[in-house]
Amino acid sequence: MSLAAHDALIHLMIVAASSDAAITERELARIQALIGRLPVFEGFEPGRLAAVANDCADRLNGPEGLDRVIDEAIAALPPLLQDTAYALAVEVAAVDLHLEQEELRYLEMLRDRLSLDRLTTAAIEVAARARHRRLPG
């Protein structure tokens, strides 16, 4: 069964959040906030989030797991949304202000499968770090 574009974006965010073994409250709150405020999610019913997340978990635990989730999500997205998909995944991964090795590996896998140039992905990563930076002290 193919994914809707909204579901595909959410799957990629869920994987970013869970790639270090557990979804934190901060990551979940960020996913909900992004869904609630970004134009790309217009028309998505927020009450479906739990069902979409459970579907993502089922796919992750099924045959081919992570590779299948990434490939199906990318296949469901129009080319115009590939940079958006990467930006959303980076945004969720960066919310904890520290990326674990597993999160970095996931973002690398995603970056390698998307049709994005390295300059675009680097700009997305720098912008996310800048948005999440806090004052020292």
Side-chain angles (χ1 to χ4, degrees):
M1 178 176 80
S2 65
L3 294 173
H6 289 141
D7 294 9
L9 292 170
I10 293 168
H11 279 211
L12 295 175
M13 289 191 293
I14 294 292
V15 174
S18 65
S19 62
D20 61 351
I23 299 177
T24 67
E25 287 297 320
R26 269 188 144 148
E27 290 166 331
L28 184 56
R30 181 55 51 108
I31 291 169
Q32 291 170 326
L34 291 168
I35 291 169
R37 79 168 189 256
L38 293 181
V40 74
F41 289 108
E42 285 179 6
F44 179 77
E45 175 54 49
R48 287 191 54 243
L49 179 56
V52 174
N54 287 333
D55 178 55
C56 180
D58 290 345
R59 290 171 192 248
L60 280 171
N61 292 323
E64 300 177 50
L66 179 60
D67 289 323
R68 177 181 172 208
V69 170
I70 294 172
D71 291 342
E72 288 178 350
I74 291 172
L77 295 173
L80 178 67
L81 291 182
Q82 290 208 359
D83 57 351
T84 303
Y86 189 70
L88 292 171
V90 169
E91 186 72 20
V92 171
V95 76
D96 292 329
L97 304 176
H98 174 75
L99 273 70
E100 297 293 336
Q101 194 62 38
E102 297 85 0
E103 292 168 309
L104 293 170
R105 178 68 186 123
Y106 167 66
L107 292 174
E108 180 183 357
M109 289 175 68
L110 185 56
R111 184 173 59 234
D112 289 347
R113 292 186 185 173
L114 292 168
S115 300
L116 301 174
D117 62 82
R118 187 64 189 124
L119 190 57
T120 299
T121 58
I124 290 169
E125 292 161 7
V126 168
R129 279 193 302 271
R131 276 192 306 281
H132 292 282
R133 199 164 284 138
R134 298 179 191 270
L135 290 173

